[in-house]
Amino acid sequence: MPVPSDIPGAPAPGQDPDSPRTPLCALDTLPPVGQARGFDPVKSGRDTVFALRRSDGVRVYRNHCPHQGVPLEYRKDRFLSGDGQRILCYAHGAHFEADTGLCTDGPCRGMSLASLPLVIEDGWLYLAVAPDSPLLR
Amino acid sequence: MNIIGPDALVFGVDDVDACSQYLTDYGLQPTGDGRFEALDGTCVIIRADDDPRLPPAIGPAPSIREIVYGVGDAAALEAIAAELSKDREVRRGEGGSVHADDDSGFHLSFALTTRRPYTAPADLTNAPGHPPQRGPNLLGINWDMKVEPRTLSHVVLFVPNMEQAEAFYVNRLGFRLTDKFIGVGPFLRPAGTEDHHTLFLIQTPPFMKGVEHFTFHMGSGTEVLLAGTRFEAKGYTTFWGPGRHYFGSNWFWYFNSPLGCHVEYDADMDLHDDTWEARHRPPGADNSQLFLFTAREKWFPSGPPPKGGAH
């Protein structure tokens, strides 16, 4: 089954049920540490996941606050604190560690953002999640 | 006590530029020194969270630092100062302003109101069965119609003890209860306005203490829908709405914001006087709104006929 993607140039790997793939972007288009980018990989109409670089690699989280299940950003791609070092939910002010997704302050303290498994291959960033996963809606 | 309502909300933030852009895009007028004004001069004030002019924070930045209430006369200021001095520290400032904390720990100040008189058009409606409000050849809308926040409407606070918080505003500052969500919180109206509420309190765990949202009054439901549509087109994220609330009858559309709380557009709120008897209802989706919609991209019924034949 081909990957439903219209990312220009994105390879479309076959879906091996044991190693599902959903492409996000060419790795070199991901912004530098301190910024984040939202993605709508299955064309749901809004950004359902977001990716950010950290010093030791890339993280991708589901755009779904554990407090009320709402989107975190206040504007397209604005998921981080002013200094770019924490993730903030701009709905009710929850603060999350950028490295782990753990909520350190706010209404869902002690809970975590869902961190999505990812694969980097041939310069492309993929989620190791099938395109029909409810995590991407 | 002739308290009119909030004249200014002061926030300490970690990203002054983002908040300034946000409030400008929302429709407020930047007038310098972190001040963003509606048509009547009521405003939001943005400062860096380490600005020494700010009262102490009650949570991590971004967060509310001070709520400035406008009062109608100097006698009210003296009455507030005398009342609050009975059991807490009260500081007097410029122009006789009164500074004190409420029972939840929010920093309040009271000053002679800075609201300016202004006039702005109403959204006139032609309703069959009622004399027309717009006569022949008067258009209801146009492409570039201005929609500007007119006046600071209300602020909503997360408080750890809503009964205690309500008692403070009612018993000490003369607010009236207009309606109440049972177990969640009261809608409160100060003596100097007929607006359904300028303050709503929501019971939450103590670590959530802060502002849930604030909103400015727009001119009509149409203006809420148009302002929200334009704001969303700039990339801002809807939290809830558009819709119309049950208590207060006001239209609403809430957005996420970099100020640490939601920011709303609202319009067409009910007015009340002291003969009103408060309604008590359980909270929930049914009681909080008459209807709720989700905005979508503009669309036009055209294009190729659907597969399988024309209709």
Side-chain angles (χ1 to χ4, degrees), chain A:
Chain A
M1 187 180 78
V3 174
S5 166
D6 52 9
I7 301 173
Q15 288 294 318
D16 173 351
D18 294 328
S19 56
R21 298 284 173 87
T22 302
L24 282 190
C25 66
L27 191 59
D28 61 9
T29 64
L30 206 58
V33 175
Q35 300 174 32
R37 186 172 153 195
F39 294 93
D40 182 10
V42 297
K43 301 283 171 241
S44 71
R46 63 175 191 84
D47 288 348
T48 54
V49 303
F50 62 99
L52 61 154
R53 290 181 192 271
R54 300 296 292 165
S55 57
D56 61 347
V58 175
R59 305 285 190 287
V60 183
Y61 295 104
R62 192 175 176 213
N63 185 14
H64 185 92
C65 181
H67 171 220
Q68 286 188 341
V70 297
L72 279 75
E73 78 279 26
Y74 70 87
R75 191 177 196 178
K76 173 68 183 155
D77 299 335
R78 301 302 180 91
F79 293 89
L80 304 184
S81 56
D83 63 6
Q85 294 307 305
R86 283 161 295 139
I87 298 164
L88 253 67
C89 177
Y90 287 102
H92 292 108
H95 293 237
F96 301 88
E97 290 178 355
D99 284 333
T100 65
L102 175 69
C103 178
T104 56
D105 218 316
C108 44
R109 195 159 48 177
M111 300 170 78
S112 290
L113 293 168
S115 176
L116 300 179
L118 56 90
V119 177
I120 293 170
E121 204 170 80
D122 299 329
W124 284 83
L125 173 62
Y126 299 91
L127 291 177
V129 172
D132 59 357
S133 166
L135 291 172
L136 304 184
R137 286 200 294 273

Side-chain angles (χ1 to χ4, degrees), chain B residues 90-119:
Chain B
V90 169
R91 194 173 59 75
R92 301 301 295 266
E94 231 175 272
S97 64
V98 177
H99 304 255
D101 292 353
D102 75 3
D103 274 10
S104 310
F106 290 96
H107 306 300
L108 307 182
S109 69
F110 303 84
L112 288 177
T113 185
T114 54
R115 294 174 187 227
R116 301 184 290 256
Y118 69 103
T119 56

